[in-house]
């Protein structure tokens, strides 16, 4: 295993663990952003340049900022929540489930032997664009994703918009 | 360069990241952290797609799956966080154990 991969993997795992175990939700959001950043670096290391840049734009640029916005918008509630997450029994029950599932998956995957003799594939952005628009099933998936995005955007707006009557004076 | 070792490393890394996401989903009470855990699990799946594309099956299908998975994960994050803000506005709380049952 090469040194860069080990560095990237340890950054991913350490920041992901920090994101789920820290107390302050702002710190959790920032650690999650670091996890997404390191994952994008891993994609770049694995020759998937387009996917690495998409990961940077979508996750670090949009999702992490959205998470931080939501944390700050719900600040008074999150301030008092979760006194010390790692000292509550539910956290360790969740950890037990996760260790069982993750260990089973890792044990199965560690036994996988890759087929030999495959060199690093090259897929340029031009080819990805051609693939997305040329083959019929990709075009169909692209249109469905576009519809899904539109529906998700409208749905998120409807959910987050303050209601007209505002039962508890919401949406200030 | 021992390539299969790095493939196994990627797969183990994604399994561990999936496990960390599961910890957040099952163990934390903040709805935002549950969403972060779901994002981690989706990221683990995409790491698997990219690792298999890079080392084992260099057709373009893995890349297409990864792109669509990221797009759907982004839509899911937007709707989920909008739900959290709506929940906070109605209940003054963003904790999943304080959500009333849907039948009420």
């Amino acid at each position: 295993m090469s040194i860069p991969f080990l560095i990237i993997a340890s950054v991913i795992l350490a920041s992901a663990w920090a994101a789920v175990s820290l107390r302050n939700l702002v710190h959790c959001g920032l650690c999650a952003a670091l996890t997404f950043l390191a994952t994008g670096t891993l994609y770049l290391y694995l020759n998937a340049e387009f996917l690495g840049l998409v990961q940077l734009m979508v996750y670090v640029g949009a999702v992490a900022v959205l998470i931080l916005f939501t944390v700050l918008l719900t600040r008074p509630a999150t301030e008092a929540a979760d006194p010390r997450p790692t000292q509550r029994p539910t956290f360790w029950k969740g950890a037990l489930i996760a260790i069982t599932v993750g260990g089973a998956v890792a044990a199965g995957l560690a036994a996988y032997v890759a087929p030999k003799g495959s060199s690093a594939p090259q897929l340029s952005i031009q080819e990805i664009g051609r693939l997305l628009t040329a083959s019929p099933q990709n075009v169909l998936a692209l249109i469905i994703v576009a519809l899904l995005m539109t529906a998700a955007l409208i749905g998120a707006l409807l959910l987050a918009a303050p209601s007209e009557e505002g039962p508890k004076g919401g949406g200030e | 360069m021992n390539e299969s070792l790095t493939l196994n490393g990627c797969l183990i890394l994604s399994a561990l990241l999936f496990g960390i996401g599961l910890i957040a989903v099952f163990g934390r009470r903040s709805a935002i952290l549950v969403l972060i855990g779901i994002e981690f699990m989706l990221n683990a799946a995409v790491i698997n797609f990219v690792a298999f594309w890079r080392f084992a099956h260099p057709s373009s299908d893995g890349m297409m799956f990864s792109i669509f998975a990221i797009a759907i994960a982004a839509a899911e994050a937007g709707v989920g966080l909008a739900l959290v803000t709506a929940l906070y506005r109605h209940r003054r709380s963003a904790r999943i154990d304080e959500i009333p049952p849907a039948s009420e």
Side-chain angles (χ1 to χ4, degrees), chain A residues 95-106:
Chain A
L96 189 67
I97 296 172
I99 287 168
T100 312
V101 175
V105 175

Side-chain angles (χ1 to χ4, degrees), chain B residues 44-86:
Chain B
V46 177
I47 288 177
N48 265 359
F49 276 130
V50 176
F52 279 117
W53 169 79
R54 166 69 176 78
F55 293 111
H57 303 283
S59 75
S60 64
D61 294 342
M63 194 54 80
M64 292 300 124
F65 261 109
S66 313
I67 292 170
F68 288 124
I70 286 182
I72 288 169
E76 170 261 323
V79 175
L81 291 170
L83 267 175
V84 173
T85 53

Side-chain angles (χ1 to χ4, degrees), chain A residues 74-115:
Chain A
T74 59
R75 186 94 177 140
T78 53
E79 199 75 48
D82 285 347
R84 268 200 88 69
T86 50
Q87 286 178 0
R88 283 187 300 100
T90 53
F91 186 84
W92 294 109
K93 278 179 200 160
L96 189 67
I97 296 172
I99 287 168
T100 312
V101 175
V105 175
L109 289 179
Y112 177 79
V113 179

Side-chain angles (χ1 to χ4, degrees), chain B residues 2-85:
Chain B
N2 197 339
E3 288 201 332
S4 81
L5 258 184
T6 313
L7 171 59
N8 281 9
C10 284
L11 299 182
I12 292 169
L13 166 71
S14 78
L16 292 176
L17 187 61
F18 190 88
I20 292 175
L22 270 183
I23 292 180
V25 170
F26 282 116
R28 294 298 297 257
R29 279 187 292 185
S30 163
I32 298 171
L33 267 166
V34 173
L35 281 170
I36 289 179
I38 293 172
E39 293 297 324
F40 283 173
M41 292 197 279
L42 284 164
N43 257 312
V46 177
I47 288 177
N48 265 359
F49 276 130
V50 176
F52 279 117
W53 169 79
R54 166 69 176 78
F55 293 111
H57 303 283
S59 75
S60 64
D61 294 342
M63 194 54 80
M64 292 300 124
F65 261 109
S66 313
I67 292 170
F68 288 124
I70 286 182
I72 288 169
E76 170 261 323
V79 175
L81 291 170
L83 267 175
V84 173
T85 53

